[in-house]
Amino acid sequence: VGQLSPLPREALDIAAAGAPARVAKTRGYRGELILFTADENMAGWGFHFVNQLRRRGHEHWLIMADSADNCAGMHAQWEKMVSSYSEAPLSCAYSSYPKQHSGWAQWTRANHPDKMH
C-alpha cells in the first residue's frame, strides 16, 4: 500500500521522546498525516475508515488509541485481514500524556448514581 511502512506492532507512546518525529517520518506524506481515534471496542469503525482511505490510495494515517492495550486489541482483531486478505498491518499509537497531566484530575468521574457524570 503506497510507499509508507506501518508502525511496529508493539504500541508506541506518542508522548515518548522522539516518537512524534518517528511517526511523522514513517507515516507522513508530503507533510500530512491523517489522525483518527479508535479503540478495540469500536474497532470496526476504525477498520472501515482504514479501508476507505486505502481504497482512495491514502496510507498516511494513524490510529490514536487511549492505551497500549487498545492498540494491541485492534491489532489482534485486524490480524485476520492480514492473514486472510493480505491487508497491510495497522499503524496505531497512544498517548500517556493526558493522563499524566495534572489538569486531568478535573475530569475524573464524580460519585453520581448514573455513572455518566
Side-chain angles (χ1 to χ4, degrees):
V1 179
Q3 299 295 318
L4 302 176
S5 300
L7 291 175
R9 187 173 171 137
E10 59 273 359
L12 176 66
D13 183 356
I14 200 82
R22 179 179 175 193
V23 167
K25 182 178 180 181
T26 305
R27 301 296 301 157
Y29 178 70
R30 295 186 180 174
E32 296 181 355
L33 181 63
I34 301 167
L35 296 174
F36 58 97
T37 61
D39 66 22
E40 66 179 315
N41 294 317
M42 297 296 287
W45 291 104
F47 299 164
H48 176 74
F49 200 38
V50 167
N51 283 325
Q52 293 298 311
L53 288 167
R54 285 181 170 167
R55 282 183 176 186
R56 286 161 180 78
H58 302 299
E59 188 63 22
H60 58 290
W61 52 264
L62 175 68
I63 299 173
M64 285 296 299
D66 64 352
S67 70
D69 289 342
N70 272 315
C71 280
M74 285 187 281
H75 279 295
Q77 291 177 51
W78 186 255
E79 186 56 40
K80 183 173 184 177
M81 297 299 291
V82 175
S83 62
S84 298
Y85 303 104
S86 301
E87 282 287 333
L90 295 176
S91 288
C92 183
Y94 73 99
S95 179
S96 63
Y97 177 73
K99 293 177 182 172
Q100 294 173 356
H101 191 276
S102 60
W104 193 250
Q106 68 180 325
W107 299 106
T108 58
R109 185 183 303 168
N111 191 14
H112 287 275
D114 67 7
K115 305 282 189 221
M116 294 295 292
H117 298 94

